[in-house]
Amino acid sequence: MINKVKGTYDVLPSESYKWHFIERKFQEVMSLYHFKEIRTPNMEHFEVFHRDSEMSDMVQKETYDFLDRSNRKLTLRPEVTAGIVRAYIENKLYVAEPLTKVYYFGPNYRYERPQTGRYREFYQCGVEAIGIKSAVLDAEIIKVAYDFINHLNLKQVSVNINTLGDLESRNNYRAALIAYLTPFYDDLSSDSKRRLKENPLRILDSKDKGDLEIIKNAPLIINHLSTDSKKYFDEVLKHLDNANVKYQVNEKLVRGLDYYSHTVFEIEANIKGFGAQNVLGGGGRYDALVKELGGPAHEGIGFAFGVERLLYALEMEELLPKDDNDLDVFVIHFDKKTLEKAFTVAQTLRKYNITSSLNYEIKSFKSQLKESLRKNASYLIFIGEEELKNNLVTLKDTKTEQQVIITLEEAINLIKKGLLK
Ligand code: HAM
């Protein structure tokens, strides 16, 4: 037996309705905000993700990079944003509209250590708004994420916001952080030691106990913001207040990827027993990514949720609906001839938008009944020798147990009107 690849999972037929549910909920919010779906490839050229400025562990150490059979260097996307920016530039989306508002739902690949809520193939649903910079737009994007969470009815969730300021602010802050952390170098975890040189901001994200003690008194970016950056952040918060979004400013919030500037945010589950991977989604503004990938100096903002984590949160808060794709009619037959007839009856029913199924072998009456129970059929149609001879069917309502012998046409009418129910 060949097993699934480590860190991947199967969505079995009994589970897929949950995925449809979440995708539908997401699309409903997207359509209210007039975002259009974009579908970009799951593989991109290596350079889309491996950019000079991207020093994150995720891109440096966790991507699935490979050579195809013609020796092209490709990467399975670890996230969608960079691929969308590539598509934005390649298709010159900015010519038609000053602001491109898109959403997506699809798989990503990261070679991480699998655990609850962390996979090597996982799905994200997210949005990107590329083309302009506006504090109102930042608030709108956070509001979209907030509305989606509310649309799912999730309650034990919090929104954390921070700003990373502009490049000047970040450089100032970086210097202050390095100056503060350097005397503690020997006490830092090995990961943080490495990050001190490459990406000191990420140390703020450390979960290591010793690091946390050191970070406690670290300088905060908020005190190193340029006047413009501070003003921009205040404006975003004002618009969020106007939009009635409940949030907390978390001055230590930094994101995993390096392309962010100004507004960053994360949505976290505070559900008891949820586990360490409790960040349901996150995002922020990126001001240099479009240019870096060869496009005009346009800015963007977006977010992505992890779909598996959302599903887990919905399960824990008991918010998932029941599978509602029950069967209308199960057609029961008795031998080769009645099976042939049952096959055509099922097809006729479907023409009238009545979901129907049957067993495709000649099986005992009892086993067909059992199957109809498993499938939760509302009606049974029996095609026996008598029915076949008289061109009639027996229709039975499985709830009321009422049963009539009628023509198929009459049966369709009754089912449509739900009369036997
Ligand atoms: P990210 O924070 O790397 O951001 O991922 C977004 C979400 O994807 C996370 O909050 C988490 O729920 C989920 N996620 C990440 N890695 C895994 C994993 N290994 N297993 C399961 N779920 C995972 C981004 O990807 C950015 N592209 C978001 C963004 C869009 N920023 C601007 N626009």
Side-chain angles (χ1 to χ4, degrees), residues 68-87:
D68 75 4
R69 288 172 192 273
S70 301
N71 272 338
R72 290 183 195 90
K73 210 169 174 191
L74 304 178
T75 297
L76 289 185
R77 67 181 189 197
E79 57 122 22
V80 197
T81 312
I84 290 179
V85 169
R86 192 269 312 138

Side-chain angles (χ1 to χ4, degrees), residues 180 184 208-218:
Y180 169 82
F184 296 104
D208 178 272
K209 268 202 182 132
D211 288 351
L212 283 172
E213 205 43 47
I214 298 170
I215 298 161
K216 240 194 216 162
N217 299 317

Side-chain angles (χ1 to χ4, degrees), residues 282-300:
R285 177 160 282 288
Y286 39 93
D287 60 6
L289 188 56
V290 184
K291 192 133 193 275
E292 206 182 347
L293 282 170
H298 292 175
E299 305 186 10

